[in-house]
Amino acid sequence: MNVARSFNTWRKYRQTVSELGRMSSRELQDLGIDRADIHSVARASVAR
């Protein structure tokens, strides 16, 4: 994997973590996501 691609993957991961982290527990619950699972969800989002 080249440097630019790695950076873009990392940036997408951080953006996902940030966006989910700003949500309330209620909003996360509505999406079926536990606050403890935010990093796992973000990793899954960049693995696609």
Side-chain angles (χ1 to χ4, degrees), residues 5-43:
R5 189 170 176 190
S6 294
F7 177 74
N8 286 333
T9 300
W10 172 81
R11 193 175 59 176
K12 183 178 176 184
Y13 167 80
R14 290 301 310 152
Q15 180 180 5
T16 303
V17 168
S18 178
E19 288 177 9
L20 291 175
R22 285 192 302 262
M23 291 182 157
S24 69
S25 294
R26 174 64 184 192
E27 291 170 320
L28 290 171
Q29 184 181 17
D30 287 346
L31 295 172
I33 300 171
D34 189 64
R35 189 160 297 279
D37 296 331
I38 288 175
H39 289 281
S40 299
V41 171
R43 274 193 299 277

